[in-house]
Structure formats: structure tokens, C-alpha cells
Amino acid sequence: GKVSVLVQGNQKVREGGRIMNVATVIAVGVNADGHREVLGVDVITTEDGAGWLAFLRGLIARGLSGVSLVVSDAHAGLVKAIGRCFQGAAWQRCRVHAMRNLLSAAHHKHRAMIAALIRNVFAQPDADTARPQLRAVVDQLRPYAPPVAERLPVIENDVLSDTGFPPAHW
């Protein structure tokens, strides 16, 4: 199956007489039939490798197995924890976060058009069409959004990992 790890948000909590930041994290799984279910919810005090590792190991301890693809933000500690816990599973960068990061490098008047071009890449039916479409979008972006055109090929494998799976799993 596929697991998406979501950070619901950062909150401030009082613990032991001091205020600290915590993150609410949620893991959602998608089974082979395409049905989603919440696998786990937790509050972690640090979004570093240790916090993520404990969360993911807790999912495994409760019986999570057979994970073939994990989708998450590109937070370095999270990606490292995923690699340690789900060896052999593919990793994909969350497209929403990737899009936000790409659009932050674009002039605001071009953002809607850039987003539409990039979404066209994600709408392709398979890797054989998605990857050439991504390269065509890079060529289209180069004249008026060079920073986006430079960043998009760098994250190509990260955002198109799911194209190696059946479309029903996307």
C-alpha cells in the first residue's frame, strides 16, 4: 500500500511549566483497493529525525507492513526516518508542498499559469508521458520563470515516483 504522512500543524503547548512547539502528525494509508484509512495520529515535540522515527516505528509496531510508496514533505529528518523504517519502499515528495515551493520562486503574476503547466505534468497517464511533459514545461518556463525552470528538473524523480505504480494507486 501507500502511506501519506501529514503534518497537520504546529501548535504551542504548555508542558512542565514551559511553552513549547509541537506538531500533530497523521499517517494515512491507501490499500491496494484504493481505500484510505488513518493509520496513526500523534503529537511530536520535535520535527527532527528522532520524532519522526518514533512515530513511524510506532506504526510498524502496531502492524503496518507491506508499504510500497510513502508520500511526505521533503523535511530531511522525515525522509531519513522513512528510509530507515520502510526500506525498499519508494518515496515521493508531496506535490502540494513541492508546488508551493516552486511557486514561491515565481513572480506573482505568473503563478497561476505556472501552476497550470505543472499540474499538466501530474495529469499525465504514465511515466512515459509525464517525464517528457515535465521537460517541455521546463522549456516553456525558462524565459519568464528561470528559478522555477531550474528547480523543477531537480525534483523530477521526487514528484513523479508514483508513476512507477498502477494509476489506481496514484
Side-chain angles (χ1 to χ4, degrees), residues 37 44 74 130 149:
E37 60 183 281
I44 59 175

Side-chain angles (χ1 to χ4, degrees), residues 38-114:
V38 174
L39 303 174
V41 178
D42 203 354
V43 175
I44 59 175
T45 55
T46 59
E47 283 188 71
D48 63 5
W52 290 115
L53 193 58
F55 176 64
L56 297 177
R57 283 183 173 162
L59 297 175
I60 293 166
R62 291 195 340 264
L64 179 62
S65 64
V67 175
S68 56
L69 175 66
V70 180
V71 179
S72 74
D73 190 6
H75 185 284
L78 175 55
V79 173
K80 186 175 179 180
I82 289 167
R84 288 179 68 184
C85 291
F86 302 113
Q87 294 175 0
W91 174 77
Q92 177 166 314
R93 184 174 183 178
C94 170
R95 290 177 175 173
V96 172
H97 286 98
M99 182 75 83
R100 284 183 195 152
N101 291 341
L102 289 168
L103 294 178
S104 71
H107 191 281
H108 71 277
K109 71 179 180 180
H110 296 136
R111 288 182 181 161
M113 188 267 303
I114 292 169

Side-chain angles (χ1 to χ4, degrees), residues 3 5 17 19 43 63 70-71 74 87 105 120 143 167-168 170:
V3 175
V5 179
I19 297 187
V43 175
V70 180
V71 179
Q87 294 175 0
N120 190 319
W170 298 4

Side-chain angles (χ1 to χ4, degrees), residues 12-13 18 36 49 54 83 92 119 133 145 165:
K12 293 187 183 294
V13 298
R18 54 181 210 158
R36 295 178 187 201
Q92 177 166 314
R119 277 193 299 272
Q133 182 64 35
F165 294 87

